[in-house]
Protein backbone atom coordinates (compact mmCIF):
# COMPACT_ATOMS: atom_id res chain seq x y z
CA UNK A 1 0.00 0.00 0.00
CA UNK A 2 1.40 3.42 -0.91
CA UNK A 3 2.47 5.69 1.90
CA UNK A 4 1.51 8.84 -0.02
CA UNK A 5 -1.19 10.98 1.51
CA UNK A 6 -4.57 11.12 -0.25
CA UNK A 7 -4.66 14.60 -1.83
CA UNK A 8 -8.47 14.81 -1.58
CA UNK A 9 -10.09 16.46 1.44
CA UNK A 10 -11.11 14.08 4.20
CA UNK A 11 -14.34 12.31 3.34
CA UNK A 12 -14.34 13.24 -0.37
CA UNK A 13 -13.43 9.73 -1.55
CA UNK A 14 -16.11 8.24 0.68
CA UNK A 15 -18.65 10.72 -0.71
CA UNK A 16 -17.78 9.86 -4.32
CA UNK A 17 -18.08 6.15 -3.62
CA UNK A 18 -21.41 6.70 -1.90
CA UNK A 19 -22.71 8.62 -4.90
CA UNK A 20 -21.69 5.83 -7.23
CA UNK A 21 -23.17 3.18 -4.96
CA UNK A 22 -26.48 5.05 -4.96
CA UNK A 23 -26.27 5.27 -8.72
CA UNK A 24 -25.56 1.58 -9.39
CA UNK A 25 -29.24 0.88 -9.78
CA UNK A 26 -29.48 3.75 -12.23
CA UNK A 27 -26.77 2.45 -14.57
CA UNK A 28 -29.21 0.41 -16.67
CA UNK A 29 -31.90 3.09 -16.93
CA UNK A 30 -29.22 5.69 -17.72
CA UNK A 31 -27.72 3.53 -20.45
CA UNK A 32 -31.13 2.95 -22.00
CA UNK A 33 -31.79 6.70 -22.04
CA UNK A 34 -28.54 7.34 -23.92
CA UNK A 35 -29.05 4.27 -26.13
CA UNK A 36 -32.45 5.50 -27.29
CA UNK A 37 -31.38 9.13 -27.68
CA UNK A 38 -33.58 10.39 -24.86
CA UNK A 39 -30.70 11.76 -22.78
CA UNK A 40 -28.38 13.74 -25.05
CA UNK A 41 -26.95 15.70 -22.13
CA UNK A 42 -26.13 15.10 -18.50
CA UNK A 43 -28.75 17.67 -17.50
CA UNK A 44 -31.46 15.69 -19.26
CA UNK A 45 -30.11 12.47 -17.73
CA UNK A 46 -30.31 14.04 -14.27
CA UNK A 47 -33.92 15.08 -14.80
CA UNK A 48 -35.00 11.76 -16.33
CA UNK A 49 -33.42 9.69 -13.55
CA UNK A 50 -34.63 11.98 -10.79
CA UNK A 51 -31.23 12.05 -9.09
CA UNK A 52 -28.78 14.76 -8.12
CA UNK A 53 -26.40 16.20 -10.67
CA UNK A 54 -23.49 14.65 -8.79
CA UNK A 55 -25.06 11.18 -8.89
CA UNK A 56 -25.86 11.54 -12.59
CA UNK A 57 -22.26 12.53 -13.17
CA UNK A 58 -21.00 9.47 -11.30
CA UNK A 59 -23.35 7.21 -13.30
CA UNK A 60 -22.23 8.71 -16.61
CA UNK A 61 -18.60 8.36 -15.62
CA UNK A 62 -19.10 4.69 -14.74
CA UNK A 63 -20.80 3.97 -18.08
CA UNK A 64 -17.93 5.72 -19.83
CA UNK A 65 -15.41 3.64 -17.88
CA UNK A 66 -17.24 0.52 -19.10
CA UNK A 67 -16.69 1.68 -22.68
CA UNK A 68 -20.40 2.10 -23.36
CA UNK A 69 -20.87 5.87 -23.66
CA UNK A 70 -18.83 9.01 -24.19
CA UNK A 71 -19.09 12.14 -22.05
CA UNK A 72 -18.13 15.37 -23.79
CA UNK A 73 -17.14 17.67 -20.95
CA UNK A 74 -16.49 20.70 -23.17
CA UNK A 75 -19.33 21.06 -25.67
CA UNK A 76 -19.77 24.38 -27.41
CA UNK A 77 -22.55 26.54 -26.00
CA UNK A 78 -25.56 27.01 -28.23
CA UNK A 79 -25.99 30.46 -29.75
CA UNK A 80 -27.78 32.80 -27.34
CA UNK A 81 -27.56 30.37 -24.41
CA UNK A 82 -26.58 31.45 -20.94
CA UNK A 83 -24.67 29.67 -18.25
CA UNK A 84 -22.44 26.64 -18.48
CA UNK A 85 -23.63 24.10 -21.09
CA UNK A 86 -24.29 20.59 -19.88
CA UNK A 87 -21.97 17.74 -20.76
CA UNK A 88 -23.10 15.91 -23.88
CA UNK A 89 -23.68 12.17 -23.81
CA UNK A 90 -23.44 9.75 -26.71
CA UNK A 91 -22.89 6.05 -27.25
CA UNK A 92 -19.27 4.98 -27.64
CA UNK A 93 -18.60 4.55 -31.35
CA UNK A 94 -15.74 2.14 -30.65
CA UNK A 95 -17.57 0.23 -27.91
CA UNK A 96 -18.73 -3.38 -27.85
CA UNK A 97 -21.16 -4.78 -30.41
CA UNK A 98 -23.65 -7.60 -30.73
CA UNK A 99 -23.98 -10.06 -33.60
CA UNK A 100 -27.35 -9.66 -35.33
CA UNK A 101 -28.72 -12.14 -37.87
CA UNK A 102 -31.83 -12.25 -40.04
CA UNK A 103 -33.22 -15.12 -42.10
CA UNK A 104 -36.00 -14.56 -44.64
CA UNK A 105 -37.47 -16.32 -47.64
CA UNK A 106 -34.87 -14.93 -50.02
CA UNK A 107 -31.72 -15.39 -47.95
CA UNK A 108 -30.02 -14.26 -44.79
CA UNK A 109 -27.76 -11.49 -43.53
CA UNK A 110 -25.40 -10.95 -40.60
CA UNK A 111 -24.34 -7.66 -39.03
CA UNK A 112 -22.57 -6.15 -36.06
CA UNK A 113 -24.69 -3.60 -34.24
CA UNK A 114 -23.55 -1.17 -31.58
CA UNK A 115 -25.50 0.77 -29.00
CA UNK A 116 -27.86 3.36 -30.40
CA UNK A 117 -29.00 0.93 -33.11
CA UNK A 118 -25.89 1.69 -35.19
CA UNK A 119 -25.02 -0.96 -37.77
CA UNK A 120 -21.23 -1.14 -37.57
CA UNK A 121 -20.62 -3.73 -40.29
CA UNK A 122 -22.65 -6.10 -42.47
CA UNK A 123 -21.79 -9.25 -44.38
CA UNK A 124 -23.03 -9.73 -47.95
CA UNK A 125 -26.42 -11.43 -47.81
CA UNK A 126 -26.86 -15.00 -48.97
CA UNK A 127 -29.68 -15.58 -51.46
CA UNK A 128 -30.52 -19.20 -50.68
CA UNK A 129 -31.87 -20.77 -47.51
CA UNK A 130 -31.19 -24.44 -46.82
CA UNK A 131 -34.03 -26.65 -45.57
CA UNK A 132 -31.91 -27.51 -42.54
CA UNK A 133 -32.02 -24.60 -40.07
CA UNK A 134 -28.79 -25.76 -38.44
CA UNK A 135 -26.87 -25.29 -41.71
CA UNK A 136 -28.37 -21.85 -42.30
CA UNK A 137 -27.71 -20.60 -38.78
CA UNK A 138 -24.17 -21.98 -38.79
CA UNK A 139 -23.50 -20.06 -42.01
CA UNK A 140 -24.94 -16.78 -40.77
CA UNK A 141 -23.04 -17.01 -37.48
CA UNK A 142 -19.82 -17.74 -39.35
CA UNK A 143 -20.44 -14.65 -41.48
CA UNK A 144 -20.85 -12.62 -38.30
CA UNK A 145 -17.70 -14.13 -36.83
CA UNK A 146 -15.77 -13.05 -39.92
CA UNK A 147 -16.97 -9.49 -39.28
CA UNK A 148 -15.78 -9.69 -35.68
CA UNK A 149 -12.35 -10.89 -36.78
CA UNK A 150 -12.12 -8.10 -39.33
CA UNK A 151 -13.21 -5.32 -37.00
CA UNK A 152 -11.63 -6.61 -33.80
CA UNK A 153 -14.70 -5.57 -31.81
CA UNK A 154 -15.82 -7.19 -28.57
CA UNK A 155 -19.10 -9.11 -28.91
CA UNK A 156 -21.43 -9.23 -25.91
CA UNK A 157 -24.34 -11.24 -27.35
CA UNK A 158 -26.25 -12.37 -30.41
CA UNK A 159 -29.79 -12.00 -31.72
CA UNK A 160 -31.70 -13.67 -34.56
CA UNK A 161 -34.78 -12.55 -36.50
CA UNK A 162 -36.84 -15.19 -38.32
CA UNK A 163 -40.03 -14.99 -40.44
CA UNK A 164 -42.07 -17.08 -38.04
CA UNK A 165 -43.89 -16.81 -34.75
CA UNK A 166 -41.42 -17.86 -32.06
CA UNK A 167 -43.14 -19.71 -29.24
CA UNK A 168 -42.04 -19.11 -25.67
CA UNK A 169 -40.46 -20.31 -23.50
CA UNK A 170 -38.66 -22.77 -25.79
CA UNK A 171 -37.89 -20.55 -28.80
CA UNK A 172 -39.60 -22.75 -31.38
CA UNK A 173 -40.34 -21.46 -34.90
CA UNK A 174 -43.96 -22.57 -35.12
CA UNK A 175 -44.85 -21.43 -38.63
CA UNK A 176 -41.85 -20.83 -40.92
CA UNK A 177 -44.32 -20.91 -43.81
CA UNK A 178 -42.05 -19.36 -46.40
CA UNK A 179 -39.01 -21.41 -45.48
CA UNK A 180 -38.63 -25.15 -45.94
CA UNK A 181 -37.85 -25.55 -42.25
CA UNK A 182 -39.79 -28.05 -40.16
CA UNK A 183 -42.62 -26.70 -38.05
CA UNK A 184 -41.49 -26.22 -34.47
CA UNK A 185 -37.77 -26.01 -35.27
CA UNK A 186 -35.91 -25.08 -32.05
CA UNK A 187 -34.27 -22.04 -33.63
CA UNK A 188 -33.15 -20.39 -30.38
CA UNK A 189 -31.33 -23.50 -29.20
CA UNK A 190 -29.75 -24.12 -32.60
CA UNK A 191 -28.67 -20.48 -32.87
CA UNK A 192 -27.18 -20.53 -29.37
CA UNK A 193 -25.26 -23.72 -30.18
CA UNK A 194 -23.87 -22.14 -33.34
CA UNK A 195 -22.81 -19.07 -31.38
CA UNK A 196 -21.05 -21.22 -28.77
CA UNK A 197 -19.39 -23.30 -31.49
CA UNK A 198 -17.48 -20.27 -32.78
CA UNK A 199 -16.31 -19.30 -29.31
CA UNK A 200 -18.69 -16.45 -28.51
CA UNK A 201 -19.75 -16.38 -24.88
CA UNK A 202 -22.58 -13.83 -24.71
CA UNK A 203 -26.26 -14.82 -24.52
CA UNK A 204 -28.16 -15.67 -27.71
CA UNK A 205 -31.79 -14.85 -28.50
CA UNK A 206 -34.31 -15.34 -31.30
CA UNK A 207 -37.57 -13.62 -32.21
CA UNK A 208 -40.11 -12.92 -34.93
CA UNK A 209 -38.80 -10.49 -37.54
CA UNK A 210 -41.74 -8.06 -37.48
CA UNK A 211 -41.80 -8.02 -33.67
CA UNK A 212 -38.14 -7.09 -33.75
CA UNK A 213 -38.65 -4.48 -36.46
CA UNK A 214 -41.31 -2.85 -34.26
CA UNK A 215 -38.99 -2.88 -31.25
CA UNK A 216 -36.20 -1.24 -33.26
CA UNK A 217 -38.51 1.40 -34.72
CA UNK A 218 -39.94 2.18 -31.28
CA UNK A 219 -36.49 2.76 -29.80
CA UNK A 220 -34.70 4.36 -32.74
CA UNK A 221 -37.08 5.13 -35.61
CA UNK A 222 -40.59 6.10 -36.65
CA UNK A 223 -42.19 4.67 -33.50
CA UNK A 224 -40.13 6.67 -31.01
CA UNK A 225 -42.38 8.38 -28.49
CA UNK A 226 -45.47 6.28 -29.23
CA UNK A 227 -47.23 4.75 -26.26
CA UNK A 228 -49.20 2.05 -28.11
CA UNK A 229 -47.46 1.33 -31.40
CA UNK A 230 -48.83 -0.97 -34.10
CA UNK A 231 -46.43 -2.17 -36.78
CA UNK A 232 -47.57 -4.02 -39.90
CA UNK A 233 -45.09 -5.07 -42.57
CA UNK A 234 -44.58 -7.35 -45.51
CA UNK A 235 -41.04 -8.26 -46.38
CA UNK A 236 -40.15 -10.93 -48.88
CA UNK A 237 -43.23 -13.12 -48.39
CA UNK A 238 -46.27 -12.91 -46.13
CA UNK A 239 -47.42 -10.22 -43.67
CA UNK A 240 -46.59 -9.77 -40.02
CA UNK A 241 -47.69 -7.48 -37.22
CA UNK A 242 -46.44 -6.36 -33.84
CA UNK A 243 -47.64 -4.23 -30.94
CA UNK A 244 -45.49 -2.27 -28.51
CA UNK A 245 -47.27 -1.27 -25.30
CA UNK A 246 -45.58 1.14 -22.89
CA UNK A 247 -42.21 0.41 -24.46
CA UNK A 248 -42.47 -3.37 -24.38
CA UNK A 249 -43.41 -5.85 -27.06
CA UNK A 250 -46.80 -7.43 -26.50
CA UNK A 251 -46.24 -11.05 -27.46
CA UNK A 252 -49.15 -12.69 -25.68
CA UNK A 253 -49.05 -15.62 -23.27
CA UNK A 254 -46.64 -17.70 -25.36
CA UNK A 255 -45.11 -15.33 -27.91
CA UNK A 256 -47.78 -15.78 -30.60
CA UNK A 257 -49.76 -12.52 -30.45
CA UNK A 258 -50.47 -10.27 -33.45
CA UNK A 259 -50.55 -12.85 -36.25
CA UNK A 260 -52.22 -10.17 -38.34
CA UNK A 261 -51.42 -11.89 -41.62
CA UNK A 262 -54.45 -14.11 -41.15
CA UNK A 263 -57.06 -11.39 -41.03
CA UNK A 264 -59.48 -11.97 -43.91
CA UNK A 265 -59.58 -8.99 -46.27
CA UNK A 266 -60.85 -10.60 -49.48
CA UNK A 267 -63.31 -13.37 -48.61
CA UNK A 268 -64.87 -13.45 -52.08
CA UNK A 269 -62.43 -14.95 -54.53
CA UNK A 270 -59.38 -14.42 -52.36
CA UNK A 271 -56.22 -16.47 -52.74
CA UNK A 272 -55.82 -19.67 -50.70
CA UNK A 273 -53.67 -19.08 -47.63
CA UNK A 274 -51.19 -21.43 -45.96
CA UNK A 275 -53.36 -21.32 -42.83
CA UNK A 276 -56.20 -23.07 -44.66
CA UNK A 277 -58.37 -19.98 -45.06
CA UNK A 278 -58.77 -17.77 -48.11
CA UNK A 279 -58.23 -14.06 -48.78
CA UNK A 280 -55.92 -13.40 -45.81
CA UNK A 281 -53.82 -10.26 -45.54
CA UNK A 282 -50.81 -12.58 -45.77
CA UNK A 283 -51.53 -13.54 -49.39
CA UNK A 284 -53.45 -10.46 -50.53
CA UNK A 285 -50.93 -7.69 -49.72
CA UNK A 286 -47.44 -9.19 -49.99
CA UNK A 287 -44.99 -8.69 -52.89
CA UNK A 288 -46.15 -11.78 -54.78
CA UNK A 289 -49.76 -10.60 -54.53
CA UNK A 290 -48.74 -7.22 -55.92
CA UNK A 291 -46.79 -8.63 -58.85
CA UNK A 292 -49.69 -10.95 -59.67
CA UNK A 293 -52.23 -8.12 -59.47
CA UNK A 294 -50.05 -6.04 -61.81
CA UNK A 295 -49.86 -8.92 -64.29
CA UNK A 296 -46.11 -9.37 -63.88
CA UNK A 297 -44.37 -12.73 -63.79
CA UNK A 298 -41.83 -12.80 -60.92
CA UNK A 299 -38.25 -13.23 -62.07
CA UNK A 300 -35.32 -14.93 -60.34
CA UNK A 301 -32.85 -12.06 -60.59
CA UNK A 302 -33.75 -10.18 -57.38
CA UNK A 303 -36.08 -10.70 -54.42
CA UNK A 304 -39.85 -10.45 -54.81
CA UNK A 305 -39.82 -7.44 -52.50
CA UNK A 306 -37.31 -5.60 -54.65
CA UNK A 307 -39.18 -6.47 -57.85
CA UNK A 308 -42.43 -5.09 -56.40
CA UNK A 309 -40.79 -1.90 -55.10
CA UNK A 310 -39.00 -1.32 -58.40
CA UNK A 311 -42.24 -1.76 -60.33
CA UNK A 312 -44.03 0.86 -58.23
CA UNK A 313 -41.10 3.26 -58.48
CA UNK A 314 -40.48 2.88 -62.21
CA UNK A 315 -43.96 2.21 -63.66
CA UNK A 316 -46.39 3.77 -61.19
CA UNK A 317 -48.19 5.61 -64.00
CA UNK A 318 -48.90 2.41 -65.93
CA UNK A 319 -52.63 1.55 -65.64
CA UNK A 320 -52.09 -2.03 -64.50
CA UNK A 321 -49.57 -0.97 -61.85
CA UNK A 322 -51.82 1.85 -60.63
CA UNK A 323 -54.76 -0.54 -60.30
CA UNK A 324 -52.59 -3.06 -58.45
CA UNK A 325 -51.49 -0.35 -56.00
CA UNK A 326 -55.09 0.69 -55.39
CA UNK A 327 -56.22 -2.91 -54.92
CA UNK A 328 -53.54 -3.71 -52.37
CA UNK A 329 -54.00 -0.36 -50.58
CA UNK A 330 -57.73 -1.03 -50.21
CA UNK A 331 -57.12 -4.50 -48.78
CA UNK A 332 -54.35 -3.29 -46.49
CA UNK A 333 -56.56 -0.44 -45.29
CA UNK A 334 -59.36 -2.87 -44.49
CA UNK A 335 -57.00 -4.95 -42.37
CA UNK A 336 -55.57 -1.92 -40.60
CA UNK A 337 -59.06 -0.60 -39.83
CA UNK A 338 -59.95 -3.87 -38.13
CA UNK A 339 -56.80 -3.69 -36.04
CA UNK A 340 -57.51 -0.08 -35.10
CA UNK A 341 -60.99 -1.07 -33.92
CA UNK A 342 -59.52 -3.76 -31.67
CA UNK A 343 -56.26 -2.23 -30.46
CA UNK A 344 -56.79 1.56 -30.55
CA UNK A 345 -53.09 2.33 -31.13
CA UNK A 346 -51.80 5.89 -31.06
CA UNK A 347 -49.56 5.29 -34.09
CA UNK A 348 -49.26 2.83 -36.98
CA UNK A 349 -46.00 2.24 -38.81
CA UNK A 350 -45.69 0.29 -42.04
CA UNK A 351 -42.66 -1.59 -43.31
CA UNK A 352 -41.48 -3.41 -46.41
CA UNK A 353 -43.82 -3.21 -49.39
CA UNK A 354 -46.52 -1.65 -47.18
CA UNK A 355 -44.21 1.32 -46.67
CA UNK A 356 -43.90 1.67 -50.45
CA UNK A 357 -47.68 1.44 -50.86
CA UNK A 358 -48.13 4.19 -48.27
CA UNK A 359 -45.67 6.39 -50.15
CA UNK A 360 -47.49 5.69 -53.44
CA UNK A 361 -51.05 6.35 -52.21
CA UNK A 362 -51.01 7.95 -48.73
CA UNK A 363 -54.36 9.72 -48.96
CA UNK A 364 -56.17 6.65 -50.25
CA UNK A 365 -54.79 4.39 -47.52
CA UNK A 366 -55.61 6.83 -44.73
CA UNK A 367 -59.11 7.36 -46.11
CA UNK A 368 -59.81 3.61 -46.23
CA UNK A 369 -58.68 3.19 -42.62
CA UNK A 370 -60.75 6.16 -41.46
CA UNK A 371 -63.86 5.04 -43.35
CA UNK A 372 -63.67 1.49 -42.02
CA UNK A 373 -62.78 2.21 -38.40
CA UNK A 374 -65.24 2.98 -35.63
CA UNK A 375 -63.68 6.33 -34.87
CA UNK A 376 -63.69 7.68 -38.43
CA UNK A 377 -61.86 10.87 -39.25
CA UNK A 378 -62.24 12.25 -35.71
CA UNK A 379 -60.19 9.42 -34.27
CA UNK A 380 -57.71 9.11 -37.10
CA UNK A 381 -54.51 7.29 -36.21
CA UNK A 382 -51.24 8.61 -37.66
CA UNK A 383 -49.92 6.17 -40.27
CA UNK A 384 -46.19 6.52 -40.91
CA UNK A 385 -43.49 4.70 -42.83
CA UNK A 386 -40.79 2.80 -40.98
CA UNK A 387 -37.56 4.76 -41.18
CA UNK A 388 -34.78 2.32 -40.26
CA UNK A 389 -32.84 0.37 -42.83
CA UNK A 390 -32.65 -3.31 -41.81
CA UNK A 391 -34.94 -2.73 -38.83
CA UNK A 392 -35.35 -6.46 -38.13
CA UNK A 393 -31.57 -6.77 -37.84
CA UNK A 394 -31.49 -3.80 -35.47
CA UNK A 395 -34.34 -5.37 -33.51
CA UNK A 396 -32.47 -8.67 -33.26
CA UNK A 397 -29.59 -6.66 -31.83
CA UNK A 398 -31.95 -5.08 -29.29
CA UNK A 399 -32.65 -8.56 -27.90
CA UNK A 400 -28.93 -9.09 -27.38
CA UNK A 401 -28.38 -5.63 -25.91
CA UNK A 402 -31.21 -6.01 -23.37
CA UNK A 403 -29.14 -7.83 -20.71
CA UNK A 404 -26.58 -5.02 -20.92
CA UNK A 405 -29.34 -2.40 -20.62
CA UNK A 406 -30.73 -4.26 -17.62
CA UNK A 407 -27.41 -4.66 -15.79
CA UNK A 408 -24.34 -3.12 -17.46
CA UNK A 409 -21.91 -4.17 -14.75
CA UNK A 410 -23.12 -7.76 -14.56
CA UNK A 411 -23.41 -8.25 -18.31
CA UNK A 412 -19.93 -6.95 -19.05
CA UNK A 413 -18.17 -8.73 -16.19
CA UNK A 414 -15.40 -10.97 -17.52
Amino acid sequence: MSGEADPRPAGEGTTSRARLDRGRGALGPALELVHTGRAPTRAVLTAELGVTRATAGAVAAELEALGLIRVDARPGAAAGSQGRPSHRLSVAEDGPVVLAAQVHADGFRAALVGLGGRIVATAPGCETVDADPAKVLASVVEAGTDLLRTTGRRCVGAGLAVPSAVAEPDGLALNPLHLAWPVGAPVRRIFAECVRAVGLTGPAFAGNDVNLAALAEHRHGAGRGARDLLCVATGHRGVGGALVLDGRLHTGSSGLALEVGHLTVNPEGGRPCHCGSRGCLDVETDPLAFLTAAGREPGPEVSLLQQAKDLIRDDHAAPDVRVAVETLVDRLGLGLAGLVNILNPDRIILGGLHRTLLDAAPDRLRAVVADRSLWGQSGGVPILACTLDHNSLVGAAELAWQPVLDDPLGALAD
Side-chain angles (χ1 to χ4, degrees), residues 220-297:
H220 308 292
R224 187 180 294 178
R227 184 174 182 273
D228 299 328
L229 175 70
L230 172 64
C231 175
V232 176
T234 177
H236 297 263
R237 292 292 300 273
V239 175
L243 184 65
V244 179
L245 300 177
D246 289 328
R248 295 186 176 277
L249 279 172
H250 174 72
T251 56
S253 61
S254 58
L256 308 181
L258 269 292
E259 280 293 307
V260 305
H262 302 291
L263 291 172
T264 300
V265 293
N266 185 22
E268 301 297 331
R271 297 176 177 84
C273 182
H274 298 277
C275 71
S277 187
R278 181 178 286 274
C280 294
L281 202 64
D282 204 62
V283 292
E284 296 292 336
T285 66
D286 76 345
L288 181 59
F290 177 77
L291 293 170
T292 301
R296 301 301 200 273
E297 187 70 27

Side-chain angles (χ1 to χ4, degrees), residues 5-368:
D6 190 336
R8 293 170 297 181
E12 184 175 311
T14 302
T15 301
S16 297
R17 285 193 298 272
R19 286 175 185 153
L20 184 54
D21 288 342
R22 287 196 301 272
R24 296 284 187 192
L27 285 175
L31 181 59
E32 183 166 341
L33 287 166
V34 178
H35 170 63
T36 56
R38 290 178 290 153
T41 68
R42 198 171 69 180
V44 175
L45 182 69
T46 301
E48 289 288 336
L49 293 177
V51 298
T52 66
R53 188 169 65 179
T55 297
V59 168
E62 179 71 4
L63 291 174
E64 186 173 38
L66 290 170
L68 297 171
I69 73 169
R70 291 289 176 262
V71 181
D72 183 357
R74 294 176 297 175
S81 64
Q82 297 182 350
R84 186 174 64 183
S86 179
H87 296 181
R88 294 195 173 276
L89 308 178
S90 60
V91 298
E93 292 187 359
D94 58 349
V97 296
V98 297
L99 191 160
Q102 181 182 10
V103 179
H104 52 72
D106 291 314
F108 62 77
R109 180 178 292 273
L112 304 182
V113 183
L115 283 167
R118 296 175 305 109
I119 296 180
V120 174
T122 58
C126 174
E127 297 180 357
T128 59
V129 177
D130 196 275
D132 182 355
K135 290 183 180 179
V136 178
L137 298 183
S139 296
V140 75
V141 168
E142 184 58 40
T145 306
D146 289 342
L147 292 175
L148 289 169
R149 282 194 289 263
T150 301
T151 61
R153 304 292 279 266
R154 178 187 179 186
C155 182
V156 297
L160 169 68
V162 293
S164 167
V166 178
E168 300 295 346
D170 298 320
L172 308 179
L174 287 192
N175 59 343
L177 299 177
H178 304 293
L179 304 176
W181 291 1
V183 173
V187 291
R188 182 183 300 152
R189 177 179 60 77
I190 295 171
F191 183 59
E193 290 172 351
C194 292
V195 168
R196 299 290 173 271
V198 298
L200 300 180
T201 58
F205 304 89
N208 169 261
D209 53 2
V210 179
N211 275 351
L212 299 182
L215 181 61
E217 293 284 346
H218 187 266
R219 291 183 174 180
H220 308 292
R224 187 180 294 178
R227 184 174 182 273
D228 299 328
L229 175 70
L230 172 64
C231 175
V232 176
T234 177
H236 297 263
R237 292 292 300 273
V239 175
L243 184 65
V244 179
L245 300 177
D246 289 328
R248 295 186 176 277
L249 279 172
H250 174 72
T251 56
S253 61
S254 58
L256 308 181
L258 269 292
E259 280 293 307
V260 305
H262 302 291
L263 291 172
T264 300
V265 293
N266 185 22
E268 301 297 331
R271 297 176 177 84
C273 182
H274 298 277
C275 71
S277 187
R278 181 178 286 274
C280 294
L281 202 64
D282 204 62
V283 292
E284 296 292 336
T285 66
D286 76 345
L288 181 59
F290 177 77
L291 293 170
T292 301
R296 301 301 200 273
E297 187 70 27
E301 59 280 359
V302 295
S303 71
L304 293 173
L305 175 60
Q306 194 60 52
Q307 290 178 62
K309 291 167 68 174
D310 289 346
L311 185 58
I312 295 174
R313 182 194 64 206
D314 299 335
D315 296 315
H316 180 60
D320 51 357
V321 176
R322 187 175 65 252
V323 170
V325 167
E326 293 173 351
T327 298
L328 263 71
V329 162
D330 289 349
R331 290 171 183 168
L332 174 60
L334 181 60
L336 292 178
L339 292 167
V340 167
N341 291 338
I342 296 169
L343 301 173
N344 189 28
D346 60 11
R347 193 180 309 175
I348 298 171
I349 57 174
L350 302 179
L353 181 61
H354 292 166
R355 170 182 173 175
T356 307
L357 292 171
L358 173 64
D359 291 341
D363 294 339
R364 187 183 184 98
L365 179 59
R366 293 185 175 109
V368 172

